[in-house]
Amino acid sequence: MLDAQRRMQDGVATDAQLTAGGLTRIDIERSVRRNELRRVHPRVYVNHTGPLTWEQRAWAAVEREAGRTVAKPAP
């Protein structure tokens, strides 16, 4: 994930954004184990382990819902 995008989203990123930035799923899981990333929702991460700010909670909710919208089959 690009640093500019991570800053714009207050450190919140999806697994798709992280893999587009060059990380593998193994890298993501390793970062979670090392407490470099914290899973906020399924497929949504933040780059620290402390309390989330209001902005980070909002970004995490937006990214979570964006993932659900994409995953839903068309009627």
Side-chain angles (χ1 to χ4, degrees):
M1 179 176 191
L2 299 173
D3 284 336
Q5 184 178 15
R6 184 172 44 237
R7 282 191 305 272
M8 186 176 73
Q9 293 181 195
D10 290 312
V12 176
T14 64
D15 60 350
Q17 291 169 328
L18 293 169
T19 55
L23 294 178
T24 66
R25 294 201 185 276
I26 293 171
D27 294 330
I28 294 169
E29 291 303 318
R30 182 181 306 121
S31 294
V32 169
R33 284 194 310 273
R34 291 179 177 173
N35 290 324
E36 297 165 353
L37 289 175
R38 175 176 141 202
R39 187 175 285 112
V40 181
H41 298 296
R43 298 178 302 280
V44 180
Y45 302 87
V46 67
N47 64 352
H48 65 85
T49 58
L52 298 180
T53 65
W54 184 93
E55 290 86 359
Q56 289 172 324
R57 290 193 311 269
W59 269 113
V62 166
E63 294 297 349
R64 180 191 67 210
E65 292 305 314
R68 288 181 181 180
T69 302
V70 171
K72 288 183 181 177

